Amino acid sequence: MKTDEGYRHALGNRQVQMIAIGGAIGVGLFLGSGGRLQASGPALVLSYAVAGLAAFFVMRALGELVLHRPTSGSFVDYAAEFVGPWAAFASGWMYWVNWAFTGIAELTAISIYVQMWAPDFPRWLTALVALGFVLIVNLLSVRLFGELEFWFALLKVLAICAFLVVGLAVVLLGAKVGGTPAGVGNLTSHGGFFSMGFPPVLMSLQSVVFAYSAIELVGIAAGETKNPEKVMPKAINSVIWRIGIFYVGSVLLLCMALPWTSYGPGQSPFVTVFSALGVPWAADVMNLVVITAALSSCNSGLYSTGRILRAMAVKGEAPAVAGRLSSRHVPFGGILITAGVLLAGVVLYYFVPERAFNIATAVASLGVITTWATLVYCQLRLRRAAQRGLVERPSFRMPGSPYTNWLTLAFLALVVVLMAFADPDQRIAFFCVPVLVVAIALGWRVVGSRRRARAPLADRTPG
């Protein structure tokens, strides 16, 4: 059975392009960059640039794989084809870990944003309401998901563009922002460019990689896209150049608009800038936009994990309920499984509200790293298969392969190693690595034993 069977190809070019853009702008930028600036100083922009280069190669690897064979199973199906069933099982469940904990981080961020308007409203209740909203959207139809994601992404793009224009204007004019002149001088004042030293910049790579998570979502949408051969290269290329402008450009302007000491983890740095400009309604509008950004990311997480879990359930590698489609052609089983974990995240936030965001993003980044490494390695195997004449390599290719493959894999390995020397919340994620390895290994053994148990019965079945 094909993993795409039963889906409706309801996503058009307009929606796929916006899903691609939306995946490249998330809570890692809108909220996480504030805490990272406080910890790393202006040199944080180097982390975004280096991680952005790695993301570029990951996206081009994804593009080559998608043009080879579009599928909603995405890297899970590619891992099965080019590495083996065990790799598909491991990468699929690690991707689920990524989005489950990303969803917890997004819900946490929404609670922090809403607190600006309703400081006395329980944060955990805000997270619960947001979870209920995105769950309903995902269960109704893929067309509704695509349309909502289109408008969410459009709001994010308009907000970032507005900030880029305003930020560039105040920097060029040297205007005062919060009583401090904006300008290039803010990059080196208050302790210098490496104001906190070089080690914090290295340690920030984990959170920066998390900020780039979801860029691969466009590959999953390929299985429900009309004319993927024409649509997907444009969508993937659009993600690449927007990473450079939206992420690196935004962080650079944040550092020049205000001293890096003005930012912190409790508020979006974009809201901080607009508040310092003395335009009250602008800060409120930006706060509304970052709420929709977090909702968008959580919405995308339920969408992607539902499809990935169904692709695995079809092969007997996930609970059977995850393989069920509703009458609206929505994989409701997988969506509900992820929603259950997000609900547990709301409970976590109730008990440790100050640490929930950092813990969730750190664990989620392990899934991001696994997904990126899977895509890059699968493209390497695709290239080798093409050299042996087993498959035809698409014209849309990863540049610099195989050298860029190994450089990207080395970078991802470095990020994991650095977690062991980072703050306590990131170390929690590092210590989760052996736990996840053991859990996935045991899960694969259970899947294997079930298959062996069914094999003799299949052999005895007539025909």
Side-chain angles (χ1 to χ4, degrees):
M1 178 180 179
K2 289 184 176 181
T3 57
D4 290 336
E5 188 174 325
Y7 290 130
R8 283 180 176 171
H9 296 264
L11 298 179
N13 179 61
R14 171 179 65 93
Q15 293 165 325
V16 172
Q17 293 288 344
M18 274 301 174
I19 288 173
I21 300 169
I25 307 172
V27 71
L29 174 64
F30 280 123
L31 180 61
S33 56
R36 288 301 107 191
L37 276 170
Q38 185 185 68
S40 307
L44 177 68
V45 70
L46 296 180
S47 293
Y48 274 92
V50 173
L53 182 61
F56 164 77
F57 290 122
V58 169
M59 288 304 294
R60 287 304 298 261
L62 172 61
E64 187 169 339
L65 291 164
V66 166
L67 269 292
H68 162 69
R69 183 167 63 89
T71 170
S72 284
S74 191
F75 55 89
V76 172
D77 287 345
Y78 301 135
E81 180 178 354
F82 294 108
V83 184
W86 67 269
F89 179 83
S91 60
W93 278 110
M94 284 303 296
Y95 188 68
W96 179 80
V97 167
N98 165 25
W99 270 113
F101 281 87
T102 295
I104 294 171
E106 307 294 350
L107 295 176
T108 302
I110 292 170
S111 302
I112 293 172
Y113 298 148
V114 171
Q115 192 183 31
M116 174 180 171
W117 296 325
D120 297 326
F121 193 77
R123 290 187 181 184
W124 66 269
L125 189 55
T126 303
L128 189 62
V129 171
L131 172 59
F133 173 72
V134 294
L135 178 60
I136 291 171
V137 167
N138 267 272
L139 290 177
L140 287 178
S141 74
V142 66
R143 187 179 296 276
L144 177 61
F145 161 80
E147 199 61 35
L148 189 65
E149 199 60 24
F150 172 83
W151 292 106
F152 276 167
L154 184 60
L155 278 175
K156 288 191 281 188
V157 171
L158 290 176
I160 288 292
C161 289
F163 169 75
L164 290 173
V165 171
V166 172
L168 189 61
V170 298
V171 168
L172 292 177
L173 296 174
K176 285 192 174 182
V177 182
T180 305
V184 179
N186 282 330
L187 290 172
T188 53
S189 60
H190 305 280
F193 187 67
F194 288 95
S195 51
M196 303 298 289
F198 186 67
V201 178
L202 275 178
M203 299 306 170
S204 70
L205 285 173
Q206 170 270 319
S207 59
V208 173
V209 166
F210 169 77
Y212 287 131
S213 66
I215 59 173
E216 76 290 333
L217 180 61
V218 65
I220 295 175
E224 295 176 83
T225 302
K226 303 170 186 175
N227 302 320
E229 293 79 10
K230 294 181 179 179
V231 172
M232 300 310 294
K234 294 180 181 178
I236 287 169
N237 281 332
S238 71
V239 173
I240 292 168
W241 67 261
R242 285 181 178 99
I243 283 175
I245 295 176
F246 291 156
Y247 275 87
V248 180
S250 292
V251 173
L252 189 61
L253 282 176
L254 284 171
C255 294
M256 291 191 289
L258 281 171
W260 63 272
T261 52
S262 304
Y263 303 108
Q267 186 181 58
S268 169
F270 298 93
V271 175
T272 301
V273 170
F274 280 105
S275 296
L277 283 170
V279 186
W281 61 265
D284 289 329
V285 169
M286 182 58 72
N287 199 54
L288 176 63
V289 170
V290 295
I291 288 174
T292 63
L295 279 172
S296 168
S297 186
C298 197
N299 190 36
S300 298
L302 285 179
Y303 170 86
S304 58
T305 51
R307 273 81 187 158
I308 290 295
L309 284 179
R310 181 170 184 256
M312 297 179 69
V314 166
K315 298 180 289 185
E317 297 174 358
V321 67
R324 296 178 183 175
L325 284 177
S326 69
S327 59
R328 297 175 177 269
H329 301 266
V330 171
F332 71 94
I335 291 172
L336 289 176
I337 289 174
T338 304
V341 176
L342 297 187
L343 184 60
V346 173
V347 177
L348 171 71
Y349 186 54
Y350 178 81
F351 288 105
V352 285
E354 303 304 323
R355 299 183 63 194
F357 181 81
N358 287 336
I359 293 173
T361 55
V363 177
S365 64
L366 294 175
V368 178
I369 290 167
T370 304
T371 300
W372 286 15
T374 300
L375 288 169
V376 170
Y377 188 68
C378 285
Q379 186 278 334
L380 188 64
R381 297 298 293 266
L382 168 63
R383 181 179 180 275
R384 290 175 181 173
Q387 288 176 331
R388 294 196 300 267
L390 301 176
V391 297
E392 184 177 350
R393 194 178 177 192
S395 57
F396 188 71
R397 301 177 178 180
M398 179 177 176
S401 182
Y403 306 107
T404 50
N405 297 70
W406 294 116
L407 285 174
T408 305
L409 291 171
F411 168 77
L412 296 175
L414 173 65
V415 174
V416 175
V417 171
L418 288 173
M419 287 183 183
F421 306 96
D423 59 65
D425 293 339
Q426 289 190 51
R427 282 201 295 274
I428 289 176
F430 180 80
F431 294 132
C432 282
V433 171
V435 176
L436 290 170
V437 169
V438 170
I440 289 172
L442 290 175
W444 180 240
R445 288 197 65 177
V446 170
V447 169
S449 56
R450 284 180 180 176
R451 287 176 176 170
R452 287 191 295 271
R454 287 196 301 263
L457 179 61
D459 291 341
R460 293 195 299 267
T461 302

